Amino acid sequence: MRKNVLAAPVDMSTGFKDFFDTIGLTGGGLVTKGIAAVIAVIAVRMLLQLSNDPKGALRKGSMAVGTLFVAVILALYGDTLFSTVTEAKG
């Protein structure tokens, strides 16, 4: 009789390091994603607090869209951008 296996077993006896290795994140990558998430929340909050003044709303809206763009770029490429900073050569 054939056994149906959905996923290969993974030994996670060393804790969180194994877990983050399986999802492809390091500690620095996780922090970068967290920072990007916080910046995205701030950008969405900026978008929701637009004023009734057309010029002010356009200025604040463009700042919010720019902030959201920075958050997306940081989420996508942040680990690559900061990998050169954290890997010091001795």
Side-chain angles (χ1 to χ4, degrees), residues 31-78:
V31 169
T32 305
K33 302 281 189 219
I35 291 171
V38 169
I39 292 174
V41 168
I42 290 170
V44 169
R45 186 168 180 247
M46 288 169 63
L47 279 172
L48 293 175
Q49 291 183 343
L50 294 178
S51 63
N52 291 331
D53 176 36
K55 285 185 180 179
L58 184 62
R59 187 179 309 122
K60 288 182 179 181
S62 62
M63 282 179 49
V65 169
T67 305
L68 192 58
F69 177 74
V70 168
V72 168
I73 293 299
L74 186 62
L76 292 175
Y77 303 112

Side-chain angles (χ1 to χ4, degrees), residues 8-12 15-26:
V10 177
D11 179 27
M12 299 244 181
F16 284 112
K17 183 181 178 324
D18 286 337
F19 171 71
F20 290 130
D21 286 343
T22 58
I23 62 173
L25 277 178
T26 61

